[in-house]
Amino acid sequence: MDYKDLIATNLSECTGLDKEQVLGLIEIPPKLELGDYAFPCFVLAKTLHKAPPMIANELKDSPELVKGFDGAVTVDTAGPYINFRIDKGILAKSVISEIIEAGDQYGNKNIGEGKNVIIEFSSPNIAKPFHVGHAFTTILGNSLSNIYSRLGYNVIRFNHLGDYGTQFGKLITAYRLWGDEAAMQENPIDELTRIYVKFHDECKVSSEREKELEDTARDNFRKLEEGEPEEVALWKRFRDLSLDVFEKTYKRMGIRFDNYNGESFYSSRIDSVVNMLEEKGLLEESEGAKVVKLDDEGLPPCLVVKSDGTTIYASRDLAAILYRHEEFNFYKNIYVVGLPQQLHFKQVFAVLKKAGYDFADDCVHVGFGLLKFKDNTAFSTRAGNIIKLDEFLDKATEKTAEIIRKNSELRGGDMTDEQIAQVSEVVGLGAVTYTYLKSGREKDIYFDWSDMLDFEGDTAPYLIYTYARIKSILRKAADQGLTGSVENADKLTAEDEYAVIRSLADFNDAVIKAAESYEPFMISRQIALIARNFNRFYNNSRILNADSDEIRDARLKLCEAVADCLKSGLDMLGIGVVEKM
Ligand code: ARG
């Protein structure tokens, strides 16, 4: 039974407020003594012309308010608040039963049924290294995709590859001059980077050399745009080889995409966008270029066609939104792209809105901060300290393996090398993922190895360790023929037990809030709380040799419910679990 939902339904009936609004207003009181949920009556004061405490008192006595409570919820007031207290035993039994039934799918809903949500994330530029800077969009986008799918939306995962632009004219030129086929097979991105850098170095030799190279590059790009087979074949090869490399990393991280339409895909659709804007009288000449003025929106003009007639990034994004709407009639079109591109998206959405496409309002830019070292240097290509994501992941799993090996040795060496490697891959990648998702996304992350791998801290290793620990208790119980029972779960009303149950009950809400605000950290924060509450309970209570068989069986089910919920929450973040570590 979802008591919060029932309370909201009743409150909505009594007050005439929308249920959604009521749900948004319901608070969790700061102290457990005040009850489980509180409704502040301030909003009603204006319409009812009464003081909030008086409204609270009158509502409290309304029979409508307690419909269906059947003694499970008691109502009280404290000043302007109506407080609701759920019977601890009834709550315990209801929450544990609900989780055991849902298993590791706890938190799922069907609120998104029949709605298409496009989530665009990762979107690296081909022929360039996939570095730690790309990890944020990749990890955040993957988590949001998981969360929206779990809420029943039909999620379409887009990877808007940066696979177009004048730089491909340069790459084709450079490849013909200096490309090394063997190196290309061996490590395509390194080789493409090498020749791209060489192109720029050669340009510095003399202005004649620069002109010659730039002219050839421009010519090659033009041929590519006109669909000349040789240039197209080379470009396609660069793209395929790059994608192979990216896909290896995605696979390792358990990430997949439904659609790899990159910028090149939309280039053929730009003419119709330009015509449409022209017809609607929105395009204006500005220093030879064509722009859409956005003064009314308080934004700088959006550049659509450059003065040399070539199209740019923004026009490809305009074409992409129109395509996506046509093809998927999206309920939401979400862009997981760094905050530096905020203005770009504001402009693109504003142009569409101006052109009369109301679905511009369903487009959302989900921005995020930077990953920085604790010494404050941001990872960036230009700073020359590129850290490839794969190497970063390798290092994380290596460091994790050291810790896991040491722990195993302390227990007399109970893990094989293979087990250590398997566990370290899950825990190491989990540690990286969690680092990106444990705080609000717009904050910069200050990265530090020992924080990230602290088995006692706010980390994935701590959460996975808690999960594995529960699994080991459950295995031990099973060896004794015990699987637990929810029958007497209403006896779990001690303070430590209640804290665990309360935090498990709030998980549902955290998932919905995470989706609404595009903040997976609402989930990471909740499961971290559950794990801490569980470990406190575990340290203070006996499970297998509890005072009675009833309590033992109920506690075993509580353990199982915590494991299910942790697994579910971690999976939403894109983090796996291990059964033993
Ligand atoms: N490829 C771009 C980059 O690496 C990100 C693309 C963002 N998505 C978009 N629809 N513009 O900066």
Side-chain angles (χ1 to χ4, degrees), residues 169-442:
K170 295 181 187 170
L171 266 182
I172 291 170
T173 310
Y175 183 75
R176 285 179 174 151
L177 289 170
W178 312 295
D180 173 346
E181 193 44 41
M184 192 75 169
Q185 304 272 359
E186 181 73 17
N187 197 329
I189 293 188
D190 282 356
E191 175 61 3
L192 288 167
T193 311
R194 180 187 73 83
I195 59 173
Y196 193 66
V197 170
K198 185 156 171 72
F199 182 96
H200 288 278
D201 287 346
E202 282 276 318
C203 282
K204 286 182 205 138
V205 171
S206 69
S207 53
E208 291 85 58
R209 183 69 172 147
E210 180 177 12
K211 185 170 179 323
E212 183 193 339
L213 285 170
E214 292 283 358
D215 284 349
T216 319
R218 206 168 303 116
D219 202 41
N220 283 333
F221 182 61
R222 186 186 49 74
K223 286 185 184 156
L224 176 64
E225 283 214 282
E226 286 166 1
E228 288 290 335
E230 273 180 43
E231 283 69 22
V232 171
L234 268 181
W235 166 83
K236 193 169 175 308
R237 183 138 187 265
F238 300 158
R239 188 185 192 272
D240 290 348
L241 288 171
S242 305
L243 204 49
D244 282 349
V245 177
F246 300 157
E247 277 184 322
K248 261 188 215 129
T249 308
Y250 292 143
K251 191 162 173 226
R252 178 173 185 191
M253 298 172 82
I255 292 174
R256 59 169 187 86
F257 291 92
D258 300 305
N259 190 306
Y260 275 107
N261 287 348
E263 292 185 41
S264 65
F265 177 85
Y266 302 103
S267 66
S268 64
R269 304 174 161 260
I270 287 176
D271 282 350
S272 68
V273 174
V274 174
N275 291 340
M276 177 275 289
L277 293 173
E278 201 105 59
E279 268 162 33
K280 296 193 173 171
L282 294 175
L283 273 192
E284 290 180 43
E285 293 279 330
S286 167
E287 293 163 30
K290 288 182 183 168
V291 304
V292 176
K293 289 230 171 105
L294 298 168
D295 298 347
D296 301 346
E297 288 73 19
L299 295 169
C302 180
L303 183 58
V304 179
V305 184
K306 279 203 279 199
S307 51
D308 64 3
T310 55
T311 58
I312 59 154
Y313 192 54
S315 19
R316 290 192 275 277
D317 263 325
L318 287 168
I321 301 184
L322 294 174
Y323 167 82
R324 290 176 188 183
H325 189 262
E326 209 174 283
E327 203 67 11
F328 298 98
N329 187 23
F330 54 74
Y331 167 73
K332 270 184 191 182
N333 176 32
I334 298 170
Y335 294 86
V336 186
V337 181
L339 281 172
Q341 294 198 35
Q342 192 167 42
L343 177 62
H344 163 75
F345 286 107
K346 277 193 183 152
Q347 288 176 304
V348 168
F349 302 161
V351 169
L352 280 180
K353 185 86 180 173
K354 233 178 160 157
Y357 297 108
D358 281 338
F359 54 77
D361 294 336
D362 306 321
C363 295
V364 192
H365 171 222
V366 173
F368 51 81
L370 287 174
L371 178 67
K372 295 176 175 177
F373 283 122
K374 270 218 164 149
D375 70 6
N376 219 1
T377 333
F379 288 113
S380 106
T381 337
R382 231 169 275 152
N385 58 348
I386 305 176
I387 299 181
K388 289 190 192 155
L389 182 54
D390 245 333
E391 287 165 11
F392 184 52
L393 298 179
D394 284 344
K395 188 133 191 193
T397 53
E398 261 165 48
K399 286 185 175 280
T400 307
E402 279 167 29
I403 302 172
I404 303 271
R405 182 177 304 280
K406 216 186 275 156
N407 288 348
S408 160
E409 274 159 14
L410 285 175
R411 294 187 305 254
D414 59 357
M415 289 173 88
T416 63
D417 285 351
E418 202 186 330
Q419 282 170 331
I420 292 173
Q422 269 167 4
V423 168
S424 307
E425 179 75 6
V426 176
V427 176
L429 296 195
V432 172
T433 301
Y434 193 84
T435 300
Y436 284 94
L437 300 180
K438 70 184 242 190
S439 315
R441 58 184 157 79
E442 296 198 350

Side-chain angles (χ1 to χ4, degrees), residues 71-252:
V73 186
T74 46
V75 188
D76 211 348
T77 60
Y81 286 91
I82 309 179
N83 291 333
F84 298 86
R85 189 187 314 273
I86 304 166
D87 178 272
K88 285 183 182 160
I90 295 178
L91 180 72
K93 192 164 176 174
S94 128
V95 171
I96 297 173
S97 308
E98 186 189 339
I99 301 178
I100 298 296
E101 198 177 313
D104 59 14
Q105 300 300 303
Y106 178 56
N108 288 16
K109 298 270 169 330
N110 55 10
I111 53 181
E113 222 162 63
K115 292 181 181 143
N116 286 342
V117 170
I118 292 180
I119 303 187
E120 186 210 289
F121 63 104
S122 202
S123 309
N125 299 324
I126 65 167
K128 297 241 176 87
F130 196 65
H131 58 87
V132 284
H134 297 117
F136 212 151
T137 160
T138 308
I139 287 168
L140 178 58
N142 180 53
S143 174
L144 290 173
S145 303
N146 294 344
I147 296 167
Y148 272 84
S149 303
R150 298 276 214 125
L151 292 179
Y153 294 92
N154 179 36
V155 174
I156 309 136
R157 297 155 172 253
F158 264 69
N159 193 328
H160 188 81
L161 288 179
D163 60 359
Y164 208 68
T166 46
Q167 72 270 30
F168 291 100
K170 295 181 187 170
L171 266 182
I172 291 170
T173 310
Y175 183 75
R176 285 179 174 151
L177 289 170
W178 312 295
D180 173 346
E181 193 44 41
M184 192 75 169
Q185 304 272 359
E186 181 73 17
N187 197 329
I189 293 188
D190 282 356
E191 175 61 3
L192 288 167
T193 311
R194 180 187 73 83
I195 59 173
Y196 193 66
V197 170
K198 185 156 171 72
F199 182 96
H200 288 278
D201 287 346
E202 282 276 318
C203 282
K204 286 182 205 138
V205 171
S206 69
S207 53
E208 291 85 58
R209 183 69 172 147
E210 180 177 12
K211 185 170 179 323
E212 183 193 339
L213 285 170
E214 292 283 358
D215 284 349
T216 319
R218 206 168 303 116
D219 202 41
N220 283 333
F221 182 61
R222 186 186 49 74
K223 286 185 184 156
L224 176 64
E225 283 214 282
E226 286 166 1
E228 288 290 335
E230 273 180 43
E231 283 69 22
V232 171
L234 268 181
W235 166 83
K236 193 169 175 308
R237 183 138 187 265
F238 300 158
R239 188 185 192 272
D240 290 348
L241 288 171
S242 305
L243 204 49
D244 282 349
V245 177
F246 300 157
E247 277 184 322
K248 261 188 215 129
T249 308
Y250 292 143
K251 191 162 173 226
R252 178 173 185 191

